[in-house]
Amino acid sequence: MSQTQIYWYQNQFLPKDEVRISPEDRGYYFGDGAYEVIRVYHGKLFEADAHYDRLVRTAEAIHMTLPLSKQELLDGLNELVKRNQVQEGTVYLQYTRGIAPRAHSFPQGAEPVLMAYAGDLKRPLAAMENGIRTVTMDDIRWLRCDLKTLNLLANTMAKQHALSQGADDVILHRQGTVTECSASNAAIVKNGRIITHPANHLILHGITRMVMLRLAERLGIPAEERPFTLDELQAADEVFITGTTVEVTPVVSVDGLPVSGGQPGPVTRRLQEAFSEAIRS
Ligand code: PMP
């Protein structure tokens, strides 16, 4: 990455210190906006089309019209990657509904505000190799977890709960049905089959989850998109999580009890290898 981080704010590429956020930005007051985090491998955006489609889906669902076309947005993000000389990292982008005096009702004629940056981030090789420890927790979020909005308080509280318990992340559940994690999707393996929560309103439709299911199909590993319980989680042969920053990361313990003998399992390993291959190509 270059020395001064360059942000894309509205229509300008600016050094981070020169970005001026309005105190009346609705993102600041209400978390009123949509966001995406996209992986950069070898200086290129990974699965950019899928991220764009999800951003549009979120924006439409919250009645926000994006001012830039797909091409304009992706060109700008690629320019950001180039200007920051990012080879292995992430791009973060968010659109808030706009700037207006504080009122719950949507402001008339406000223009959505774009803010994006690109930064270095290495692949989490140690966690991918050794696995992570998790604790389970009630999923107290709202009922549109499929939308990638800026409202992440419940997710940040969940992550912090995991850390306070000496764990790396949480596995969330609604009345015993496992949904996902604080910033990733969850899956189990039982008798050679992958099981992961269906892509409905209770989970984010993870791009990495989608890539993982595509790779599983290619590898001939059967997968079921169906709800599974905390009991199934504890009795699973393998547990793993998927996400843009965590890729495919094994879970080696749940609530202090080992899963798959406290070691990453063979199906998880095959998926990791296939994922690394997908990145290379
Ligand atoms: N669930 C939640 C709650 C997330 O925040 C994320 C990360 N964006 C994911 C799942 C994984 O999604 P993706 O694979 O698109 O990063």
Side-chain angles (χ1 to χ4, degrees), residues 35 51 54 141 148 155 180-185 204-209 242-244:
Y35 81 106
H51 283 281
R54 187 170 64 185
R141 298 174 301 163
K148 205 161 172 60
N155 303 61
E180 57 181 338
C181 304
S182 71
S184 54
N185 292 113
L204 188 77
H205 303 187
I207 309 295
T208 322
R209 175 187 176 282
T242 58
T244 292

Side-chain angles (χ1 to χ4, degrees), residues 250-268:
V251 170
V252 292
S253 79
V254 178
D255 292 334
L257 298 172
V259 283
S260 75
Q263 297 290 326
V267 173
T268 309

